[in-house]
Amino acid sequence: MRKTAAILGLLLLFGLFAGCQEKEEQQEAESASLEIQTTTLDGDAFTTEDFADNKLTIFNVWATWCPPCVAELPHLQKVSETFQEESVMVVGVLQDGVTELGEEDADVIASAETLLEDAGAHYPVILPDDGLQQTFIRTMQYFPTTFFVDGRGNIIRRVEGAREYEDWSALVREVLEELEG
């Protein structure tokens, strides 16, 4: 009985330590300033300077194989249109557009372009570079995951899972109020 209690105690202690370590890594990743140097699906350059003048940039990491990701594309387009005047930019990050070797996957990119067109989504969609892999994708547990980034490149909020326009709109307003306050 004592042996079982001791083993359970050690497992509990190990579980608490592992959870704290994971949380610290997540906080470290989210407090780092974001540096981007990549391309859009169209092959245009996209860097940190492309969003530095915005109050808020919403980076939505999605994949073509993810039905909830695809379902929220039109909602994010509406967010992009609604909040453009308030200096808010929506940027998609196509996680599966780059292979494990860092090479563009032409078939996935073509599929993504079709999905975006069908959804009426015209905001920029970029391919993940090393910085995005380390800052966003490495820390993700769910698709889609969305990161709210201020004009200095600081990640200020992370949202897991898909949302509809009303939910996104409320979140954007909340974050904008936090930035102004």
Side-chain angles (χ1 to χ4, degrees), residues 1-162:
M1 183 73 170
R2 286 184 189 170
K3 201 178 224 179
T4 303
I7 290 172
L8 287 174
L10 286 173
L11 288 174
L12 179 61
L13 183 60
F14 176 74
L16 289 173
F17 174 76
C20 291
Q21 185 174 10
E22 180 179 300
K23 190 171 197 148
E24 286 174 17
E25 289 174 1
Q26 181 178 349
Q27 288 173 345
E28 178 183 321
E30 292 186 6
S31 66
S33 185
L34 183 61
E35 290 291 327
I36 297 176
Q37 189 166 350
T38 188
T39 60
T40 65
L41 295 188
D42 299 329
D44 297 330
F46 188 93
T47 68
T48 306
E49 291 148 15
D50 289 308
F51 67 90
D53 291 335
N54 297 323
K55 281 185 200 171
L56 180 66
T57 304
I58 302 167
F59 286 92
N60 176 259
V61 183
W62 66 290
T64 57
W65 51 262
C66 169
C69 299
V70 173
E72 81 174 342
L73 293 173
H75 300 286
L76 291 168
Q77 176 61 35
K78 191 170 179 182
V79 167
S80 176
E81 293 167 2
T82 301
F83 291 96
Q84 184 176 11
E85 295 294 319
E86 295 181 59
S87 194
V88 174
M89 178 183 202
V90 174
V91 177
V93 180
L94 182 61
Q95 183 272 335
D96 58 341
V98 176
T99 68
E100 291 178 11
L101 300 175
E103 299 169 353
E104 292 183 16
D105 188 324
D107 292 336
V108 170
I109 292 171
S111 177
E113 289 171 336
T114 300
L115 293 169
L116 290 160
E117 187 63 34
D118 290 349
H122 304 291
Y123 51 84
V125 176
I126 60 176
L127 297 169
D129 64 0
D130 287 338
L132 291 170
Q133 290 284 359
Q134 292 302 311
T135 306
F136 288 165
I137 297 169
R138 177 182 67 89
T139 68
M140 289 176 50
Q141 295 179 2
Y142 304 99
F143 281 90
T145 296
T146 304
F147 299 85
F148 288 69
V149 178
D150 68 15
R152 294 180 309 244
N154 298 311
I155 300 170
I156 54 176
R157 174 111 22 128
R158 171 188 180 137
V159 179
E160 295 176 332

